[in-house]
Amino acid sequence: MSTTYKVLETDSDFLAAALSQSKVSVWYREEPDPVGQIMDYGGIVEGYSPETIKISDSWFFRKKFEFRLYIL
């Protein structure tokens, strides 16, 4: 089974995910690791700012993490 996802990057990406109540996971990306490591299985986007994203009552820095919206 193939897993497809969209990496959320822009404010409009996060707004669309919040409005659609889609589950977003949080991944830590290091340069030599092409896949990354899951940090949080995620939840609904509750808020966002230019520097941070709030998911399931936790804040994550945009520059440090990757946010994935899975497409079924």
Side-chain angles (χ1 to χ4, degrees), residues 2-4 6 13 17 20-30 32 35 37 42 48 52 59 62-64 66:
S2 176
T3 304
T4 304
K6 174 180 173 44
D13 290 341
S20 67
Q21 299 285 289
S22 299
K23 186 174 178 182
V24 175
S25 61
V26 181
W27 292 74
Y28 180 70
R29 296 290 307 262
E30 290 188 59
V35 176
Q37 299 174 341
Y48 58 92
T52 58
W59 288 94
R62 283 187 179 199
K63 289 184 179 182
K64 191 170 186 176
E66 181 176 273

Side-chain angles (χ1 to χ4, degrees), residues 1 9 18 23 26 33 37 46 55 71:
M1 175 156 95
E9 299 181 66
K23 186 174 178 182
V26 181
D33 184 3
Q37 299 174 341
E46 298 171 349
I55 297 174
I71 302 166

